[in-house]
């Protein structure tokens, strides 16, 4: 069986290798369309995110899914559903490199698209986080006491990166020694 305790929180899988699509002379490299796939298992960080014996797996093309393929599609149309199924094949292959029998194990599959991000995350053109040159270097703001975190703050998209941005925001407000003291107090009182 699958040993859930041996899994990492995050994997990066190259669907077509570091060279990308080598069918043409130039190749499209590691960042080619649906080549670099990020696979996250946030249950490594917090086992309470899923019932005992289950995990949450989040796979996505790391900023390499073109919006133009989806633009103007109706979300409930047969064309949209077919494109989602086709485009998710690379994601499934990536997850299968980590959990070979994932398709037999899956209990709930929620496949999204840039249109999903546009609708539910309110992201223009279905973006997923900011482009690397658009990241804010840290969460500081000109407003005293307001610190930002999330996928638009360095280090960017993905569960581990957003968690790190949250930790950085916390460190900006309370120094680590104060945090450690608070954690010790919580532990002493049986709350941790």
């Amino acid at each position: 069986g699958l040993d859930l305790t041996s899994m990492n929180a995050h994997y990066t899988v190259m669907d077509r290798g570091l060279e990308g699509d080598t069918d043409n002379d130039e190749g499209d490299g590691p960042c080619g369309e649906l080549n670099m796939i990020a696979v996250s298992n946030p249950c490594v960080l917090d086992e309470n995110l899923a019932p005992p014996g289950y995990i949450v797996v989040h796979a996505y093309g790391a900023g390499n899914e073109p919006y133009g393929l989806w633009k103007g599609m109706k979300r409930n149309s047969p064309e949209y559903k077919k494109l989602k199924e086709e485009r998710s094949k690379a994601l499934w292959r990536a997850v299968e490199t980590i959990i070979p029998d994932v398709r037999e194990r899956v209990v709930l599959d929620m496949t999204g698209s840039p249109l999903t991000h546009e609708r539910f995350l309110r992201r223009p053109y279905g973006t997923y986080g900011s482009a690397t040159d658009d990241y804010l270097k840290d969460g500081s703001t000109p407003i005293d006491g307001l610190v930002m975190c999330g996928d638009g703050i360095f280090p960017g998209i993905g569960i581990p990166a957003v968690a790190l941005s949250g930790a950085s925001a916390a460190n900006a407000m309370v120094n680590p020694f104060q945090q450690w003291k608070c954690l010790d107090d919580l532990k002493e009182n049986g709350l941790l």
Side-chain angles (χ1 to χ4, degrees):
L2 179 64
D3 179 8
L4 299 180
T5 62
S6 70
M7 295 189 69
N8 294 322
H10 193 76
Y11 300 87
T12 301
V13 179
M14 305 307 290
D15 188 52
R16 297 181 308 281
L18 288 173
E19 301 82 28
D21 184 359
T22 56
D23 289 343
N24 62 51
D25 291 337
E26 297 174 15
D28 61 1
C31 297
E33 205 172 284
L34 284 180
N35 186 23
M36 186 184 300
I37 307 295
V39 181
S40 295
N41 170 15
C43 294
V44 169
L45 305 174
D46 182 354
E47 63 187 29
N48 296 310
L49 294 174
Y54 293 86
I55 60 173
V56 174
V57 175
H58 178 213
Y60 56 94
N64 54 27
E65 177 68 336
Y67 181 76
L69 295 171
W70 304 90
K71 188 175 181 180
M73 285 195 144
K74 301 291 181 212
R75 287 187 314 274
N76 291 322
S77 70
E79 296 82 16
Y80 175 73
K81 291 175 183 174
K82 183 178 178 187
L83 185 60
K84 258 194 357 180
E85 185 176 330
E86 182 63 34
R87 299 299 286 182
S88 70
K89 286 179 181 176
L91 305 177
W92 282 108
R93 284 192 300 270
V95 175
E96 286 169 337
T97 66
I98 301 154
I99 308 170
D101 61 347
V102 67
R103 292 188 199 223
E104 288 82 50
R105 292 175 175 270
V106 71
V107 175
L108 175 63
D109 168 19
M110 297 175 70
T111 303
S113 74
L115 297 182
T116 308
H117 300 151
E118 189 173 55
R119 180 176 184 205
F120 292 104
L121 303 178
R122 301 185 68 133
R123 302 309 287 251
Y125 305 107
T127 59
Y128 198 89
S130 62
T132 53
D133 48 346
D134 293 337
Y135 288 136
L136 296 175
K137 66 176 175 64
D138 59 34
S140 61
T141 69
I143 301 169
D144 189 41
L146 177 63
V147 180
M148 298 184 343
C149 65
D151 64 357
I153 312 297
F154 180 83
I157 63 173
I159 293 166
V162 170
L164 185 57
S165 124
S168 295
N171 286 340
M173 299 182 81
V174 180
N175 78 50
F177 297 112
Q178 290 172 301
Q179 292 176 42
W180 292 335
K181 183 183 179 325
C182 181
L183 289 171
D184 288 341
D185 291 345
L186 290 171
K187 194 172 186 176
E188 280 179 29
N189 291 310
L191 298 171
L192 243 186

